[in-house]
Amino acid sequence: MSRSRPPTTDDGPPKTLLICPDCGHESHLDGDWQTHLEPTVEGTVRVSICPVCDGEIARRPA
Ligand SMILES: [Zn+2]
């Protein structure tokens, strides 16, 4: 399949790629990371867990 547009043009906004610092597992932000909500004194946060090594990848406000 050939496109008339240059290959550098994406079909949509770039996805955020997360990489596990412990085992190097790569997946997009909406990939196969296991997430759970965790209440903190500053409010509930969404914690992303690596499905390979169970390491914590990131935590964001829920
Ligand atoms: Zn990992």
Side-chain angles (χ1 to χ4, degrees), residues 17-61:
L17 187 68
L18 296 179
I19 303 175
C20 177
D22 293 331
C23 72
H25 178 69
E26 296 183 6
S27 188
H28 288 131
L29 188 60
D30 296 327
D32 60 358
W33 306 109
Q34 299 177 9
T35 61
H36 68 266
L37 298 178
E38 182 175 302
T40 73
V41 293
E42 297 178 345
T44 303
V45 295
R46 181 181 299 276
V47 182
S48 297
I49 303 296
C50 176
V52 178
C53 70
D54 290 334
E56 181 178 313
I57 306 302
R59 52 177 61 208
R60 298 177 297 158

